[in-house]
Amino acid sequence: MYQPTEILIERGEEEAPVVQRALARLPELPVHIVEKDWEQRKARPAGNDPFGAGKRRLFFTRQRAGFLEHCPAGTPGLVCCNYLVVSLISNCPMDCSYCFLQEYLANNPTLKVFTNSDDLLDEVAQVVDRQPWRPFRIGTGELSDSLALDALLGFSADLVPFFAARKNVLLELKTKSDCIDNLLRLESHGRVVVSWSLTPPAIADTEEHGTAPFANRLRAARRVQQAGYKTGFHFDPLIEYPGWETDYQQALEQVFATVDPRGVAWVSFGSLRLTPPLRKAIRQRFPQTRLLSGEQVLCDDGKWRTFQALRVTMYRALITQLNRLAPTVPVYMCMETAPVWRKVFGRAPGCDKDVARSLTAPNL
Amino acid sequence: MATLNEQARQIAAYAQRKRLSRTTLARWQAWPGTDQAALLFLLQDLQCGENHLKDLLDWLEEIAARDEQTIADILERRELRRARATPGSRNDKLKAVKTVLRKIRYPRLTRLEENVRQAVKALDLGRAGQVSFPSDFEGDEVTVTLTARDVHALQDGLSQLQQRLDDGRFQRVFDALDEV
């Protein structure tokens, strides 16, 4: 359970609905009103782990830049799925040892919550309503878990009705939590995919700190499916370790023993990928981890990955298993090269739109 | 055996002599005393500077985490002791130790490299033909280069390539790239 140590509110945002909701649920916490440039002036939290400490400072502020962005997986040289992201929260209450935020938000002293969700919805409407013929996939799980703080912040009540009312967009809420109670009270009209990032329990229990156990995630998936939501599953990062094949195959079996494959919008696989600064951060913050002991090489995009022949072996094994369990579920790989697509699927997509179409067409 | 104080002094002296960064020294000093001593003993032979030492620290810590062994135990492995005893210069020893350590750290990747090397050697293309691969075998393109001074040499080279295609030796090269 996430326990912030203090609440910071940008002056002028005190009455924002999300602020009022959080204050009502955390009445005991010290509250400080700060100026809008507080973050630039404020030093990082002291101590051995300023990044970890920063997660427990809950900072409500306005997003002054745009919300809608292209997913950073669209890096040159990698096959992209044309995914868009919006972030109402920047930083995550969970603390997975492999998380890229340790590098990306290394100097961020807070867990930031944006108060102007109306602006986000306006911005999305401007883009998707002007192109009603074009299908979109938009996710909120880029800079934070989509649902871990939903009991506190209640953003799902803003997002789900908005997306449920649009025929050309799928909203993806990506999570490692089991915080779905708010969703069960909302109508998604099949346009919201609640997806879970999964690793086998052996990894989840040791590397995914503050997340829901594997079994709880699956139970939550079944409940949202029964409530009319589509579900998705992301085996990302795929981590190679002694026994990976059996553990991942069992994980896949458990998924499809729990949920109905007909309600699964997609499954993705993505190799563990670590930049050199992220490796350094992991070494410092999680010295006991075995994540860095895999046979990883530095790839052209500046990230360490399991060497190609081994990760192709992993993808092939798991996709074969998936096809056996749920042959009609769309599957894709995240942040992989065209050569790896050719080796795994026999062909690489002709363009980014091919992947996007294969994911949206069965679901919209 | 050096006392702990004496060992700390020797490590500090080594770091000063080799101008090691504070981070690298701190990482070494954070190890248990027996592991620090085992590395110091190795470095007395190898005399590594910062960059080689960082490789050793990375690989040793990663092997220790994977195999649940102490670094002192890893450095006592027979193949490493043999590499340390390699005759020749300090550079020869360093190269031998790093080769063995990399093989322990990356067992399947080094096996793949060796299998590909054997498959290329079996092509027996001589000096006129060369086969090259993307860095760390990331990709699916194999480059075959044929060098010729005249059309006859080019014809001979092409015939040789065709023969290696027909007898399956090129297939073996491509197969080796996917085998783990």
Side-chain angles (χ1 to χ4, degrees), chain A residues 240 279 283 289-290 292-299 304 306-311 313 316 339 342-343, chain B residues 23 27 58 61-63 65-66 68 105-110 112 136-140 177-180:
Chain A
E240 191 274 327
R279 286 179 74 90
R283 216 186 284 285
T289 184
R290 295 165 76 175
L292 304 177
S293 298
E295 294 191 50
Q296 296 144 2
V297 297
L298 190 58
C299 298
W304 291 81
T306 303
F307 70 94
Q308 181 179 289
L310 183 51
R311 63 182 200 274
T313 300
R316 281 177 178 161
R342 283 193 286 270
K343 282 178 184 285
Chain B
T23 319
R27 216 170 133 191
D58 284 351
E61 286 178 355
E62 289 158 7
I63 295 165
R66 183 192 65 196
E68 295 177 342
R105 172 66 186 84
Y106 296 97
R108 283 162 297 188
L109 179 59
T110 50
L112 183 145
D136 284 320
F137 305 106
E138 285 291 314
D140 59 355
L177 290 171
D178 285 337
E179 286 169 6
V180 285

Side-chain angles (χ1 to χ4, degrees), chain A residues 94 147-151 175 177-183 196 212 220:
Chain A
M94 298 164 171
L147 293 173
L149 295 177
D150 203 49
T175 189
S177 79
D178 53 3
C179 305
I180 51 150
D181 289 348
N182 288 343
L183 296 181
W196 273 266

Side-chain angles (χ1 to χ4, degrees), chain A residues 13 32 41 124-125 132 141 148 183 241 248 256 258 304 320 345 352 362:
Chain A
E13 298 303 313
H32 306 284
R41 292 188 286 111
V124 171
L183 296 181
Y241 60 95
Y248 275 100
F256 289 101
T258 309
W304 291 81
T320 301
F345 291 114
D352 298 345

Side-chain angles (χ1 to χ4, degrees), chain B residues 8 11-12 15 22-33 36 57:
Chain B
I11 289 173
R22 256 187 288 179
T23 319
T24 300
L25 176 61
R27 216 170 133 191
W28 183 7
Q29 287 172 326
W31 289 0
Q36 289 186 42
L57 294 174

Side-chain angles (χ1 to χ4, degrees), chain A residues 137-170:
Chain A
R137 283 161 48 246
I138 300 179
T140 64
E142 174 68 12
L143 298 183
S144 188
D145 187 281
S146 294
L147 293 173
L149 295 177
D150 203 49
L152 177 67
L153 305 174
F155 278 137
S156 60
D158 298 331
L159 295 170
V160 172
F162 173 89
F163 283 90
R166 283 167 170 79
K167 290 184 176 167
N168 61 329
V169 199
L170 286 170

Side-chain angles (χ1 to χ4, degrees), chain A residues 110-130:
Chain A
T110 62
L111 191 153
K112 220 184 298 181
V113 177
F114 297 116
T115 50
N116 48 331
S117 54
D118 286 356
D119 290 343
L120 179 149
L121 301 180
D122 287 347
E123 190 181 334
V124 171
Q126 295 250 347
V127 173
V128 304
D129 293 351
R130 283 184 184 173

